[in-house]
Amino acid sequence: MKKNWDNPVEHVMPAEARVPAEVRIGAVAVRPATVLAPMAGVTDTVFRRFIRHASLFTRDQRSESRDQEAEIDGVDADISNARSGCGLIMTEFTSADGLARMREAKRRRYLTFYDDEHPIGAQLFGSNAETLAEAARIVEETGFDTVDLNLGCPAKRVVGCNGGSGLLRDLPKIGEIFSAIRKRVSIPFTVKFRLGWNDSQIVCVELARMAENEGLNAVALHARTREQGYNGQARWGWIAAVKQAVKIPVIGNGDIRTPEDAAAMIEKTGCDAVMIGRAAPANPWIFRQIAQYTATGAYDVPGVADRYNMIRAYFEMLLAEETATRELPRDARMGDPVGKMKQFATWFTHGVPGGAKLRAAIYHAHTGDEVLAQVEQFFMARLEAGDNANAEPTGIPENEPAGLADAILVCD
């Protein structure tokens, strides 16, 4: 299944439409109305906090956009969702079956989050109603603000267990799951799904109505079928159809790479919030850019120096996390950060002149220090040559070193 971009449409910024400053999912205020999509193998604790820092406003920028965001009384921390461009952060999706069987130490690893990540949601996948309900109870007890059910992942190993988008072929079963989870938890409960299994089985409107009737607090639609995978154009018209069919908040997902795309989705569909997945590793500034445009009518585009500082900061965060968890029980450790470095470099260096050479060098590195050395050498040479041009991120091309592009499983 191809995981690269296949989106020929480039949107211009609408004259009036903007991403809303806030959407409420049950009692949870999401400010601004942007969501980091759950991505398996990507949105771990380090990546989520990295995105938080990447989208953080300075105090001056926050004062300029005060009319666009709600004030938080009594909160002085520099880092909070309402003061950054990302309104809701979500975990990488987690198997409900695995969560129910895990030892406590391993469970903490999968459900770890920091205080500065609120509001944060945990996403679950599975096919057994009672197991999912029990996993949702664990999520609530752990302190998450929301729990989300994944009905969108198209990966064969997930669909093969009737999880993710595999359940789209069985709406009565989905209804049982909705009911079981809603009875077990009091925190906001949401669902993320696709249009349907294929073009002859489009179920998104019916599914959204079912979710509303079962007491769910919001729905998120990735406007492709399972059969499409990540190919072709996301069909935003179905997001508009879902929005017209229900009164609960509708979150739009699919083909948002730029602030222009985000605003265009709001204009074309009327959705209440936007969810961004694959664009975030390629352009960690995207949430801040959206909020900047909403507040000022313009946004910053990173140059080579910005990219150098950002990739180095993320890699240093990975190494620090690995060191901090080294003495914990095996199930609670982060593990080798080199794989994460290679994964992130695949996304992040596209659009950078000569980036393919850096990706190849990183792919053949064996230690974190070797990866950092390659990054240092690559970017310093360009900065010393006076190259600090802006670069627009693109997707994963077909000619990456074998195995590198396939290392990333995304489920946005």
Side-chain angles (χ1 to χ4, degrees):
M1 182 178 294
K2 289 173 65 178
K3 299 179 179 66
N4 60 302
W5 297 110
D6 189 4
N7 176 14
V9 175
E10 293 186 4
H11 296 102
V12 298
M13 187 64 72
E16 301 295 335
R18 298 289 184 270
V19 174
E22 174 182 320
V23 63
R24 284 194 169 268
I25 299 176
V28 174
V30 177
R31 306 174 180 134
T34 54
V35 183
L36 174 65
M39 294 179 283
V42 179
T43 46
D44 60 11
T45 302
V46 178
F47 182 77
R48 296 193 310 260
R49 301 189 87 210
F50 169 69
I51 288 294
R52 170 59 45 72
H53 285 273
S55 67
L56 181 67
F57 281 106
T58 65
R59 292 186 182 277
D60 288 343
Q61 288 171 314
R62 287 203 303 270
S63 64
E64 290 174 2
S65 60
R66 187 166 294 155
D67 290 341
Q68 308 297 327
E69 60 183 33
E71 290 291 321
I72 301 180
D73 294 335
V75 176
D76 294 324
D78 280 348
I79 303 171
S80 68
N81 282 13
R83 288 175 175 168
S84 75
C86 184
L88 177 65
I89 291 174
M90 300 192 75
T91 66
E92 53 189 344
F93 75 150
T94 301
S95 165
D97 292 328
L99 194 61
R101 295 194 302 266
M102 284 177 192
R103 295 193 299 268
E104 185 65 27
K106 191 171 185 179
R107 186 179 293 168
R108 286 199 303 271
R109 173 186 168 191
Y110 280 87
L111 296 180
T112 293
F113 62 89
Y114 292 87
D115 288 342
D116 61 23
E117 294 186 79
H118 287 292
I120 181 171
Q123 189 182 73
L124 303 172
F125 76 94
S127 59
N128 182 278
E130 285 306 310
T131 302
L132 279 160
E134 175 61 16
R137 182 194 63 79
I138 293 170
V139 164
E140 181 172 31
E141 286 189 350
T142 305
F144 283 89
D145 299 289
T146 70
V147 61
D148 185 75
L149 175 65
N150 180 297
L151 299 179
C153 181
K156 288 182 179 179
R157 67 174 179 264
V158 175
V159 171
C161 299
N162 206 31
S165 58
L167 277 169
L168 295 175
R169 298 168 292 184
D170 191 349
L171 290 185
K173 182 68 172 180
I174 292 174
E176 293 176 15
I177 293 171
F178 283 169
S179 178
I181 294 177
R182 183 69 286 174
K183 290 175 182 176
R184 197 71 63 91
V185 300
S186 60
I187 58 175
F189 171 28
T190 63
V191 61
K192 183 172 184 288
F193 52 94
R194 286 179 174 243
L195 302 180
W197 180 256
N198 54 34
D199 282 348
S200 65
Q201 295 176 290
I202 301 292
V203 299
C204 56
V205 173
E206 184 179 357
L207 181 51
R209 288 180 175 139
M210 181 190 301
E212 183 175 48
N213 291 337
E214 291 291 346
L216 274 71
N217 301 98
V219 297
L221 176 61
H222 180 172
R224 289 184 173 91
T225 64
R226 190 274 168 181
E227 191 174 76
Q228 276 185 272
Y230 300 94
N231 297 325
Q233 185 71 22
R235 289 174 276 180
W236 290 359
W238 283 108
I239 300 175
V242 167
K243 175 60 183 172
Q244 292 171 4
V246 298
K247 294 182 174 61
I248 57 177
V250 174
I251 303 166
N253 178 227
D255 291 347
I256 298 178
R257 298 177 296 173
T258 66
E260 288 87 346
D261 294 336
M265 178 180 279
I266 297 292
E267 179 186 53
K268 293 176 183 295
T269 71
C271 64
D272 302 281
V274 295
M275 178 180 283
I276 298 169
R278 292 175 291 165
N283 176 20
W285 297 273
I286 187 168
F287 293 102
R288 181 169 64 188
Q289 289 174 330
I290 291 171
Q292 281 180 326
Y293 191 87
T294 299
T296 69
Y299 63 90
D300 299 326
V301 177
V304 173
D306 299 307
R307 288 185 169 274
Y308 168 56
N309 291 330
M310 189 65 75
I311 195 170
R312 184 179 62 183
Y314 179 56
F315 286 177
E316 288 174 348
M317 288 175 69
L318 285 171
L319 293 173
E321 185 78 1
E322 188 273 335
T323 299
T325 61
R326 190 176 295 163
E327 302 303 321
L328 297 177
R330 182 183 299 274
D331 287 342
R333 297 174 196 166
M334 176 186 167
D336 184 6
V338 175
K340 289 284 186 182
M341 290 178 167
K342 293 178 179 180
Q343 178 191 67
F344 185 76
T346 302
W347 296 83
F348 191 63
T349 57
H350 285 290
V352 177
K357 293 182 179 179
L358 175 59
R359 293 191 292 276
I362 289 176
Y363 182 71
H364 291 100
H366 298 290
T367 68
D369 289 339
E370 288 180 23
V371 172
L372 282 174
Q374 293 292 343
V375 169
E376 186 87 11
Q377 179 180 338
F378 176 85
F379 280 102
M380 289 307 297
R382 278 146 185 80
L383 291 173
E384 289 173 0
D387 182 5
N388 193 30
N390 294 334
E392 293 294 340
T394 58
I396 302 174
E398 298 294 331
N399 59 350
E400 287 298 336
L404 185 54
D406 290 338
I408 303 177
L409 169 64
V410 290
C411 293
D412 68 321

